[in-house]
Amino acid sequence: MSSLDIFTGETIGTAVLILLGGGVCAAVTLKRSKAFNAGWVAITFGWGFAVLTGAYISAGLSGAHLNPAVTVGLAIKGATPWGDLPVYFAGQLLGAMIGALLVWATYAGQFRDHLTSAEAAGQKSANPGQVHGVFFTSPEIRNSVQNLVTEVIATVVLVLAILTQSTIPGVSADSPKGPGVLGAMITAFVVVGIGLSLGGPTGYAINPVRDLGPRIVHALLPLPNKGGSDWGYAWIPVVGPLLGGAIAGGIYQLAFA
């Protein structure tokens, strides 16, 4: 794969991932959406299908990492050259920002109504925290150590499940053409399982650019009453998944290589 293929594939695939993943969060959160209050199960399956779609689209170009933690794990495994990491990371971050912008464009009217309707009704102000989850994750209990550990554990599960696909006959995450149909489906269902089982404490970023890219976009968008972008917490969904990806790579080398 050329650097251009990697960058293009990761940009497009991650943009689709964030568009559909952030889109389901917007659909469930924003009051004038037909899916309003559909709940956590809808969000977890929405993110799983987002992973599936992004992986299918980008696999032939970049191998469909879509996540710096996955890229780090594959590099430790020896399946991705370390010199390619900056290209993967750049495409993933740009794609995440593009995806977040597309979510905003799709739901622009709903964002505006949701964030201004409280004031129109004579209440003090809208609650910006209600829309933060469309763009970035936040913990239910703010404890840096616990939040970091949660993200590490959840990401280890994700990345180890991806790395060990090569031990299943006919399935490999290491192919230049990506994980293939079965591998992408396995990964998508793993993401759903993580959301249902481990997503409650922090919102399961498990992907640094899934959180950082949309957080940057949130900070720049002209949304009324949007509140701050919670930069004090922002390092946890970046560092935690990167640590988790590295640990998963180490576990693979010790137990499976």
Side-chain angles (χ1 to χ4, degrees):
M1 293 180 291
S2 69
S3 293
L4 181 59
D5 286 341
I6 292 171
F7 182 79
T8 302
E10 292 299 294
T11 299
I12 295 172
T14 309
V16 171
L17 165 66
I18 300 302
L19 170 61
L20 298 184
V24 72
C25 291
V28 171
T29 301
L30 302 177
K31 290 182 291 188
R32 297 295 294 273
S33 162
K34 294 182 183 297
F36 178 56
N37 274 343
W40 187 249
V41 173
I43 289 174
T44 57
F45 273 92
W47 274 104
F49 291 133
V51 169
L52 187 67
T53 308
Y56 280 157
I57 290 172
S58 62
L61 279 175
S62 66
H65 295 192
L66 313 183
N67 181 342
V70 172
T71 304
V72 167
L74 286 168
I76 292 172
K77 182 181 179 180
T80 296
W82 285 98
D84 288 344
L85 264 64
V87 182
Y88 274 101
F89 292 171
Q92 290 157 358
L93 182 59
L94 177 61
M97 295 176 67
I98 292 171
L101 279 171
L102 292 174
V103 172
W104 169 70
T106 303
Y107 284 91
Q110 282 76 16
F111 275 115
R112 190 179 307 110
D113 181 84
H114 190 95
L115 290 170
T116 58
S117 59
E119 290 181 337
Q123 301 172 21
K124 290 184 178 180
S125 65
N127 179 4
Q130 293 177 327
V131 303
H132 284 174
V134 177
F135 294 96
F136 53 84
T137 61
S138 300
E140 290 300 304
I141 297 175
R142 194 167 289 258
N143 180 299
S144 295
V145 174
Q146 177 191 330
N147 302 151
L148 184 66
V149 168
T150 298
E151 287 293 332
V152 169
I153 291 171
T155 309
V156 167
V157 174
L158 170 65
V159 177
L160 194 57
I162 292 171
L163 299 183
T164 53
Q165 286 179 16
S166 59
T167 66
I168 304 172
V171 180
S172 177
D174 306 341
S175 167
K177 293 297 183 181
V181 174
L182 182 56
M185 291 180 64
I186 291 171
T187 303
F189 279 112
V190 169
V191 170
V192 173
I194 290 170
L196 292 173
S197 301
L198 306 175
T202 61
Y204 72 116
I206 59 175
N207 182 340
V209 300
R210 172 267 176 272
D211 196 274
L212 180 59
R215 195 182 296 264
I216 293 171
V217 170
H218 176 269
L220 297 175
L221 280 175
L223 291 168
N225 305 315
K226 67 179 182 179
S229 300
D230 195 9
W231 288 106
Y233 179 77
W235 67 275
I236 290 176
V238 172
V239 174
L242 288 174
L243 285 173
I247 292 169
I251 292 172
Y252 180 88
Q253 291 286 32
L254 289 172
F256 296 94

